[in-house]
């Protein structure tokens, strides 16, 4: 007997006494990528079940990571971009990349409702049955009552969208944990890396009794030896919670002393506070980012913060019980840290006073004590698949032709261990493993990195725990990218079913074309992007130069004119309008340190023209990006190539930028 219960959000949830279920595609993991994968497959007409071991959808996107890691908006395509456009609609913007957790989750719920996706909550993987190189079925147990009756799901295709890669592992697919040595893939920043980012200053004593090694190490410092730079090991970058707090007294739950609170866990922090008495802002110890409605997304900063360094090594391959213990330890550590800052007399008074103005938000995580149910699993297992993405891909030294998504974020690893080193004859505590190396533009992610080797499994795709080295994964592992890859793998699964073939034999050119032609998966008319890189759709007048940046511009580069007048300077963007109708036009403007006070823009439909004045100083940039789309208005545009947008100089008192123009159908 099958019951479908509709919540206040009209979320379609499966509660069933049927022991076995058959679908076309089974998506394991209700992360952001999992939701988009399931939605994509349903819009393509396949039967789908989305399995979430917990009680909420969206993973970290709804779990507190409201300050979206983007890298470059150009890399975010398809339904993923649609998601952030819909977030924008909620807040009265074209698109928005910062948001409250409950807003993010409600939107994921809307996707599964619109897609009519069956969602099975509170069920996790128990076993996998394979035959002839294919997964035949998976057995699930109730996450809350493992001893209760199990369920079996049979499917033609499986997509593992979990942060842990459990389905991949139980299917016998090769994977790795930890960081490779530099020599493994001819890299330079994998393996052990003792760098300066998020680091303790010199001189912080690591011993319980300062200067006395025999007294033992303070909590959080490992006795491990510092290996040479580039050495591989099985250690994972640290996890943490992205913390949502509220400064609104009417929407606060007090930060109280958590169970098992132990102030000795923060002894190293006490010494750090004493070593830098001039640092009296919470922003000195946390990345304290503001979210809408007086809330936060708080992340780790500097030497001692929300990262519980070195306490997650057993998580990737751990049992469910072991993982639950690690998650609970991280929760108590983090709640204890917040309480410590507000109440311990060793914390300078200005810091205590600031912390006491914050509380847990009453309207977030209402069924989990106003605390996020999602620990930030930055990295767990990583598949060793048909192709391994490496540092060379990130830096553009190796470019794949079978890309089905892009990444653009800095190669980023949080610290991995806190150890004792000797410098100038003195022992001190140092963090090791932090890497932040960028300076590159968007790059393609190989389809082969999303599938196992053919001899291992022919009906499984892995868009989250994908095949990448530690340092390349650090660039790829961003929530919007997981959504892009979720869509790509779902469409690949659909194509494999239709062609009665394996995921390894999918027609990549056809997949790429379908992603481009039907980006929202619903047959709607695609928006039209004309970027300055498109020489067939842009005409440059005057001495513009190309500026290549990893951030700021939309795509690999933008055009900049630095003349002081006296010569014509403009860039014309000409779209190919495939279907006549109303289009809302936007121009992208990176924020420059210095810019002309006024830009002149002309929009033409081939018959009439409209002049628009833009003042760059009025452009408000929000979130982890340094550019924004600016509305040029809505226009009725004819089919063909007669429409155009010209960007030029109006006031010759500074540089002007021409980057990209977007034509969004509104019919």
């Amino acid at each position: 007997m099958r019951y479908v219960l509709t919540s206040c959000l009209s979320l379609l949830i499966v509660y069933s006494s049927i022991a076995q279920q058959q679908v076309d595609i089974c998506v394991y993991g209700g992360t952001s990528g999992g939701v988009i994968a399931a939605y994509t497959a349903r819009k393509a007409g396949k039967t789908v079940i989305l399995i979430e071991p917990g009680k909420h959808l969206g993973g970290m996107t709804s779990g507190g990571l409201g300050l979206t890691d983007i890298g470059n908006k150009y890399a975010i395509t398809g339904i993923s971009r649609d998601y952030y456009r819909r977030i924008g609609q909620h807040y009265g913007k074209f698109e928005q990349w910062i948001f409250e957790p409950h807003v993010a989750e409600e939107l994921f719920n809307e996707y599964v409702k619109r897609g009519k996706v069956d969602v099975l909550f509170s069920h996790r993987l128990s076993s996998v049955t394979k035959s002839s190189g294919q997964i035949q079925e998976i057995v699930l147990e109730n996450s809350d009552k493992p001893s209760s009756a199990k369920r079996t799901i049979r499917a033609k295709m499986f997509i593992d969208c979990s942060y842990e890669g459990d389905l991949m592992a139980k299917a016998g697919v090769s994977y790795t944990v930890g960081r490779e040595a530099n020599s493994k893939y001819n890299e330079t920043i994998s393996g052990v890396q003792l760098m300066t980012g998020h680091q303790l200053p010199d001189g912080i004593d690591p011993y319980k009794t300062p200067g006395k090694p025999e007294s033992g190490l303070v909590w959080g410092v490992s006795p491990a030896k510092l290996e040479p730079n580039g050495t591989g090991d099985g250690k994972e970058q640290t996890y943490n919670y992205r913390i949502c707090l509220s400064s609104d007294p009417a929407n606060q739950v007090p930060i109280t002393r958590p169970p098992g609170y132990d102030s000795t866990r923060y002894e190293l922090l006490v010494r750090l506070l004493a070593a830098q008495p001039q640092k009296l802002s919470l922003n000195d110890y946390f990345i304290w980012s503001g979210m809408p409605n007086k809330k936060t997304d708080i992340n780790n900063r500097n030497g001692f913060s929300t990262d519980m360094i070195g306490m997650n090594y057993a998580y990737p391959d751990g049992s469910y019980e072991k993982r639950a213990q690690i998650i609970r330890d991280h929760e108590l550590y983090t709640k204890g840290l917040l309480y410590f800052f507000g109440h311990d007399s060793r914390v300078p008074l200005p810091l205590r006073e600031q912390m006491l103005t914050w509380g847990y938000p009453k309207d977030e995580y209402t069924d989990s004590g106003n605390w996020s149910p999602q620990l930030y699993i930055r990295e767990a297992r990583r598949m060793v698949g048909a192709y391994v993405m490496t540092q060379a891909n990130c830096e553009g030294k190796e470019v794949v032709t079978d890309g089905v998504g892009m990444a653009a974020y800095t190669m980023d690893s949080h610290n991995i261990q806190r150890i004792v080193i000797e410098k100038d004859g003195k022992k001190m505590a140092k963090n090791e493993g932090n890497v932040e190396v960028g300076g590159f533009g968007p790059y393609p992610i190989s389809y082969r990195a999303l599938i196992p080797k053919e001899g291992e499994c022919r009906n499984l795709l892995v868009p989250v725990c994908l095949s990448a080295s530690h340092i390349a994964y650090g660039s790829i592992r961003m929530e919007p990218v997981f959504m892009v890859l979720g869509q790509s793998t779902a469409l690949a699964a659909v194509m494999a079913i239709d062609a009665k073939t394996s995921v390894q034999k999918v027609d990549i050119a056809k997949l790429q074309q379908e992603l481009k032609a039907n980006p929202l998966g619903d047959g709607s008319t695609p928006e039209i992007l004309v970027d300055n890189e498109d020489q067939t759709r842009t005409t440059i007048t005057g001495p513009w130069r190309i500026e290549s940046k990893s951030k700021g511009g939309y795509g690999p580069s933008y055009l900049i004119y630095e003349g002081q007048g006296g010569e014509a300077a403009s860039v014309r963007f000409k779209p190919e309008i495939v279907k006549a109708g109303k289009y809302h036009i936007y121009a992208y403007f990176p924020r420059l340190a210095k810019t002309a006070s006024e830009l002149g823009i002309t929009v033409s439909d081939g018959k009439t023209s409209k002049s628009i004045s833009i003042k760059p100083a009025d452009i408000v940039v929000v979130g982890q990006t340094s550019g924004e789309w600016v509305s040029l208005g809505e226009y009725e545009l004819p089919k063909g190539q007669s429409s155009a947008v010209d960007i030029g100089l109006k006031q010759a008192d500074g540089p002007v930028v021409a980057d990209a123009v977007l034509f969004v159908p509104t019919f």
Side-chain angles (χ1 to χ4, degrees), residues 610-621:
K610 179 181 178 181
S611 296
I612 302 167
S613 177
I614 298 290
K615 295 182 178 179
D618 294 337
I619 299 172
V620 178
V621 179

Side-chain angles (χ1 to χ4, degrees), residues 267-299:
E267 175 59 32
L268 206 63
L269 175 58
V270 172
R271 299 177 188 187
L272 178 60
L273 290 163
Q276 46 190 37
Q278 76 282 6
K279 294 191 174 182
L280 296 174
S281 168
L282 289 175
N283 259 309
D284 293 321
Y285 297 92
F286 306 87
I287 298 177
W288 202 283
S289 302
M291 294 295 109
N293 296 315
K294 301 182 179 180
K295 294 176 186 172
T296 65
D297 169 3
I298 300 170
N299 197 9

Side-chain angles (χ1 to χ4, degrees), residues 621-635:
V621 179
V622 178
Q624 283 203 41
T625 179
S626 54
E628 289 289 345
W629 290 111
V630 175
S631 172
L632 305 181
E634 190 172 84
Y635 301 84

Side-chain angles (χ1 to χ4, degrees), residues 60 163-164 177-178 234-242 299-300 305-318 323 326-327 329-331 333-334 374-381 414-416 473 477:
M60 280 307 303
Y163 291 128
E164 295 82 6
V177 171
K235 298 170 182 173
E236 291 285 5
Q237 62 174 304
T238 184
Y239 302 162
N240 76 340
Y241 279 94
R242 297 293 287 256
N299 197 9
N300 181 83
S305 187
T306 62
D307 279 357
M308 195 178 181
I309 298 174
M311 305 299 176
N312 62 337
Y313 301 156
Y315 186 90
D317 280 323
R323 288 178 183 172
I326 292 171
I327 291 169
D329 288 346
H330 278 72
E331 178 182 340
Y333 163 80
T334 312
Q374 180 64 63
L375 179 65
Y376 194 176
I377 310 301
R378 290 192 173 94
E379 189 175 2
R381 299 181 176 108
H414 280 236
N415 278 302
I416 290 173
Y473 191 80
R477 61 167 185 85

Side-chain angles (χ1 to χ4, degrees), residues 208-462:
K208 291 179 180 178
T209 302
K212 301 284 186 180
E214 63 273 18
S215 66
L217 296 166
V218 298
W219 184 90
V221 178
S222 165
K225 173 189 172 184
L226 175 63
E227 299 293 338
N229 261 20
T231 303
D233 57 29
K235 298 170 182 173
E236 291 285 5
Q237 62 174 304
T238 184
Y239 302 162
N240 76 340
Y241 279 94
R242 297 293 287 256
I243 308 165
C244 182
L245 299 180
S246 172
S247 63
D248 180 0
N251 190 34
Q252 284 183 351
V253 175
I255 297 172
T256 56
R257 182 185 180 110
Y261 174 74
D262 182 358
S263 65
T264 65
R265 288 189 165 194
Y266 312 106
E267 175 59 32
L268 206 63
L269 175 58
V270 172
R271 299 177 188 187
L272 178 60
L273 290 163
Q276 46 190 37
Q278 76 282 6
K279 294 191 174 182
L280 296 174
S281 168
L282 289 175
N283 259 309
D284 293 321
Y285 297 92
F286 306 87
I287 298 177
W288 202 283
S289 302
M291 294 295 109
N293 296 315
K294 301 182 179 180
K295 294 176 186 172
T296 65
D297 169 3
I298 300 170
N299 197 9
N300 181 83
R301 169 165 277 161
N302 295 334
F304 194 105
S305 187
T306 62
D307 279 357
M308 195 178 181
I309 298 174
M311 305 299 176
N312 62 337
Y313 301 156
Y315 186 90
D317 280 323
S319 65
Y320 291 130
E321 293 74 22
K322 182 63 176 178
R323 288 178 183 172
Q325 176 193 327
I326 292 171
I327 291 169
R328 180 63 173 164
D329 288 346
H330 278 72
E331 178 182 340
L332 295 179
Y333 163 80
T334 312
K335 288 180 173 178
L337 179 67
L338 298 175
Y339 178 80
F340 176 88
F341 263 97
H343 297 85
D344 197 291
S345 61
R346 294 169 293 178
V347 176
L349 183 60
L351 286 169
R352 278 183 276 151
E353 290 176 337
Q354 290 171 56
M355 183 59 78
L356 291 175
T357 65
W358 294 90
Y360 302 123
K362 285 182 180 178
D363 62 345
E364 300 288 354
Y365 317 123
T366 55
D367 63 349
S368 57
N370 309 105
W371 184 258
S372 174
Q374 180 64 63
L375 179 65
Y376 194 176
I377 310 301
R378 290 192 173 94
E379 189 175 2
R381 299 181 176 108
R382 302 189 311 280
M383 179 170 61
V384 181
Y387 180 87
V388 180
M389 299 289 292
T390 68
Q391 182 178 340
N393 296 105
C394 301
E395 295 176 336
K397 296 174 182 176
E398 183 173 328
V399 181
V400 300
T401 58
D402 63 338
V404 291
M406 289 182 289
Y409 200 76
T410 294
M411 289 181 287
D412 173 79
S413 172
H414 280 236
N415 278 302
I416 290 173
Q417 56 184 341
R418 183 176 283 136
I419 54 178
V420 179
I421 70 163
E422 185 170 343
K423 184 177 180 180
D424 299 328
K426 186 175 181 180
K427 298 290 182 78
M428 61 190 72
K430 285 289 180 180
N431 299 333
E432 184 277 313
N434 185 87
V435 180
E436 296 167 88
V437 177
F440 46 83
Y443 59 91
I445 300 166
S446 172
Y447 173 74
R448 289 164 292 154
L450 311 177
I451 57 174
K453 299 166 186 173
E454 189 166 15
E456 293 185 347
C457 191
R458 301 200 308 274
N459 66 337
L460 173 67
L461 301 106
V462 186

